[in-house]
């Protein structure tokens, strides 16, 4: 069943990819040594970084485009294979999606960045997902976490308190719905968003029970369908049934979900910490606070997904490699990283960045410092199809076209195929 669905998805993405590759215009192809081409998913934060880079390098022009993750992932590999990709591009850590480090490094699409001065300074946990076969290909500048982000003003007006246990979460969702302001915005029209609630639950439910789950999964000692992932999926479904989300999440885009949370149409949103900068863009006077999403009734055992976020790689066939490396160096410099982190609302990957962390991320910072985190689940999966199968499967779950067991079994099928 899933094979046919995945084939259909690939076919659809291929059509989008070919159209995008022809029309993108990201790569100028001019060969002008003062012009850099860049493609990014960091909407709302890359703009200021580009301005600062241009100001620090008079005469340099950065031609850049931004797009959502789904659109970007659909087009970047075809652009790379056809020679139309930009000089610098967003690259995700690890192996979880079509734009990830392993996926793009293996066929030789990315430039080896191992000799760059920042590469040796990356903590070991980041090196693992920034490298392929011992060589560094990804400039990872930000550490991100996933949790519940609340609109402080909307929460205060509701008279409700942010839940700290699973039981409280269920009551919170029902009470918020009864007041006419749903608890959380969910924009799963963009399929990458479907994973975030599940990851936030699985951190505690799966890895809280067994921190070695990924090792056992890789060794064939367990499966998604035969593990606590079934409990995490059940809780995701229960949240939807309890009215935790606004009506029609499948018809709500990522952009629209931001508006709902920023303007108080919902009390919050379950997202990565990068959402705070985007929410403030829509509500400059708003204050937003991130907490762990309660998955059990034992707060002391809560874990949060936290790992390196998307970074930047250099096209191995870049028209302007020298300027591309200069841009990467700026992103990884204390000045560039501080600007990026503060605009994006992320934590720095290098200790000397001097980043002022958003006060709304106090709890996330504490969880990171206390080592109460687990990696984003997909980053160490053996191929990108596992995540893509999960994303499309979760959309089908919300449209009643698949069950949670179907999704997990299909993920097992793709996982067992390996690289």
């Amino acid at each position: 069943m899933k094979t046919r669905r995945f084939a259909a998805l690939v076919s659809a993405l291929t059509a989008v990819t070919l159209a995008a590759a022809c029309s993108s215009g990201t790569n100028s192809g001019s060969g002008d040594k003062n012009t850099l081409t860049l493609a990014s998913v960091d909407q709302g934060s890359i703009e200021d970084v580009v301005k600062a880079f241009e100001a620090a390098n008079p005469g340099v022009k950065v031609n850049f485009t931004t797009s959502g993750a789904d659109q970007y992932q659909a087009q970047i590999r075809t652009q790379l294979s056809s020679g139309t990709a930009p000089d610098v591009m967003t690259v995700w850590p690890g192996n979880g999606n079509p734009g990830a480090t392993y996926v793009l490094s293996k066929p030789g699409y990315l430039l080896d960045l191992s000799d760059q001065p920042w590469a040796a300074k990356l903590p070991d946990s980041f090196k693992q997902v920034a490298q392929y076969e011992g060589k560094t290909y990804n400039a990872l500048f930000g550490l991100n976490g996933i949790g519940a982000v609340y609109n402080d003003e909307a929460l205060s007006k509701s008279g409700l308190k942010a839940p700290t246990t699973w039981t409280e979460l269920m009551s919170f969702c029902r009470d918020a719905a009864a007041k006419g302001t749903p608890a959380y915005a969910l924009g799963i029209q963009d399929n990458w968003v479907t994973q975030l609630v599940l990851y936030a639950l699985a951190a505690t439910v799966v890895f809280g029970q067994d921190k070695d789950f990924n090792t056992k999964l890789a060794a064939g000692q367990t499966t998604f369908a035969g593990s606590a992932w079934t409990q995490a999926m059940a809780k995701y479904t229960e949240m939807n049934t309890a009215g935790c989300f606004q009506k029609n999440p499948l018809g709500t885009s990522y952009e629209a979900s931001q508006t709902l949370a920023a303007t108080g149409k919902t009390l919050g949103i379950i997202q990565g910490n990068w959402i705070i900068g985007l929410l403030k863009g829509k509500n400059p006077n708003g204050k937003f606070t991130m907490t762990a999403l309660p998955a059990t009734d034992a707060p002391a055992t809560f874990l949060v997904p936290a790992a390196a976020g998307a970074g930047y790689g250099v096209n191995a066939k870049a028209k302007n490699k020298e300027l591309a490396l200069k841009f990467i160096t700026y992103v990884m410099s204390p000045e560039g990283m501080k600007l990026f982190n503060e605009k994006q609302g992320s934590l720095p990957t290098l200790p000397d960045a001097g980043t002022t962390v958003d006060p709304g991320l106090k709890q996330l910072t504490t969880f990171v410092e206390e080592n109460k985190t687990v990696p984003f689940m997909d980053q160490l999966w053996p191929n990108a199809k596992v995540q893509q199968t999960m994303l499309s499967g979760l959309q089908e779950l919300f449209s009643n076209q698949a069950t949670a067991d179907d999704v997990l079994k299909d993920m097992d099928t793709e996982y067992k195929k390996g690289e």
Side-chain angles (χ1 to χ4, degrees):
M1 176 176 63
K2 178 58 70 177
T3 301
R4 291 195 300 271
R5 289 198 298 265
F6 187 78
L9 174 64
V10 170
S11 177
L13 288 180
T14 299
V16 174
T17 298
L18 292 175
C22 294
S23 64
S24 166
T26 304
N27 194 332
S28 66
S30 66
D32 180 355
K33 67 179 182 178
N34 288 320
T35 300
L36 179 73
T37 53
L38 166 71
S40 173
V41 298
D42 291 308
Q43 295 167 300
S45 51
I46 186 63
E47 293 83 355
D48 284 1
V49 174
V50 165
K51 290 178 183 177
F53 177 71
E54 290 177 337
N57 295 275
V60 166
K61 175 63 178 175
V62 180
N63 292 332
F64 71 99
T65 60
T66 62
S67 59
D70 290 348
Q71 177 186 350
Y72 178 87
Q73 290 172 16
Q75 72 184 34
I76 193 61
R77 184 156 179 159
T78 293
Q79 288 183 335
L80 285 164
S81 63
S82 64
T84 59
D87 297 320
V88 177
M89 69 205 78
T90 289
V91 177
W92 280 267
N95 199 29
N97 65 60
T101 303
Y102 301 177
V103 177
L104 299 183
S105 300
K106 186 176 181 179
Y109 290 140
L110 300 180
L111 186 70
D112 180 5
L113 304 174
S114 303
D115 61 349
Q116 298 301 298
W118 52 264
K121 298 178 183 178
L122 283 175
D124 289 342
S125 59
F126 296 151
K127 285 181 181 178
Q128 183 181 15
V129 291
Q131 294 181 342
Y132 177 73
E133 295 187 340
K135 296 180 179 179
T136 300
Y137 293 94
N138 197 345
L140 301 175
F141 62 87
L143 170 67
N144 292 312
I146 299 171
V149 178
Y150 296 98
N151 180 322
D152 293 357
E153 182 180 5
L155 189 61
S156 178
K157 285 182 177 179
S158 74
L160 301 176
K161 294 183 179 180
T164 60
T165 67
W166 173 256
T167 299
E168 289 179 5
L169 175 63
M170 290 294 95
S171 297
F172 178 75
C173 288
R174 288 189 288 267
D175 292 344
K179 290 176 179 289
T181 307
Y184 307 108
L186 183 63
I188 57 173
Q189 187 179 91
D190 294 82
N191 79 345
W192 70 270
V193 178
T194 61
Q195 67 196 306
L196 300 179
V197 176
L198 181 59
Y199 284 7
L201 294 168
T204 297
V205 173
V206 178
F207 294 88
Q209 294 183 34
D210 186 358
K211 281 200 170 186
D212 295 325
F213 176 83
N214 273 336
T215 301
K216 292 177 181 178
L217 186 64
Q221 297 171 358
T222 189
T223 61
F224 292 111
S227 70
W229 274 88
T230 59
Q231 299 172 31
M233 289 285 274
K235 287 179 179 289
Y236 196 174
T237 301
E238 190 173 349
M239 287 182 68
N240 187 41
T241 303
C244 289
F245 313 118
Q246 86 287 350
K247 292 181 179 179
N248 193 20
L250 277 170
T252 305
S253 68
Y254 175 48
E255 175 77 19
S257 72
Q258 295 171 35
T259 300
L260 290 174
T263 59
K265 298 294 177 57
T266 63
L267 302 183
I269 186 169
I270 298 168
Q271 262 285 348
N273 51 275
W274 57 80
I275 199 73
I276 291 181
L278 297 173
L279 296 178
K280 288 184 175 180
K282 295 178 181 297
N283 181 1
N285 296 320
K287 293 184 178 180
F288 304 92
T289 301
M290 183 177 187
T291 71
L293 181 66
T296 68
D297 284 339
T301 67
F302 288 175
L303 300 175
V304 299
Y312 286 91
V314 175
N315 185 350
K317 296 182 180 180
K319 299 291 192 297
N320 199 338
K321 289 183 182 179
E322 182 178 348
L323 191 56
L325 289 173
K326 197 169 187 179
F327 180 80
I328 293 292
T329 298
Y330 178 77
V331 168
M332 298 302 288
S333 70
E335 179 186 359
M337 190 174 291
K338 176 179 169 65
L339 178 58
F340 227 143
N341 293 152
E342 292 182 358
K343 188 68 177 179
Q344 189 187 64
S346 55
L347 308 180
T349 56
L350 298 180
D352 59 352
T355 302
T356 300
V357 178
D358 190 290
L361 298 177
K362 182 178 180 180
Q363 189 181 105
L364 174 61
T365 303
T366 300
F367 270 68
V368 171
E369 291 173 347
E370 295 180 355
N371 198 30
K372 297 172 64 175
T373 66
V374 295
F376 292 167
M377 288 66 181
D378 58 273
Q379 289 186 356
L380 297 178
W381 291 345
N383 62 65
K385 289 185 179 179
V386 182
Q387 188 204 47
Q388 297 303 306
T389 296
M390 176 185 65
L391 300 181
S392 59
L394 287 171
Q395 286 185 321
E396 291 175 347
L397 178 64
F398 269 77
S399 62
N400 298 315
Q401 294 178 300
T403 67
D405 286 343
D406 290 334
V407 179
L408 293 175
K409 288 176 182 177
D410 290 337
M411 289 169 62
D412 281 325
T413 297
E414 295 300 338
Y415 189 98
K416 291 173 183 177
K417 292 179 181 178
E419 293 187 13

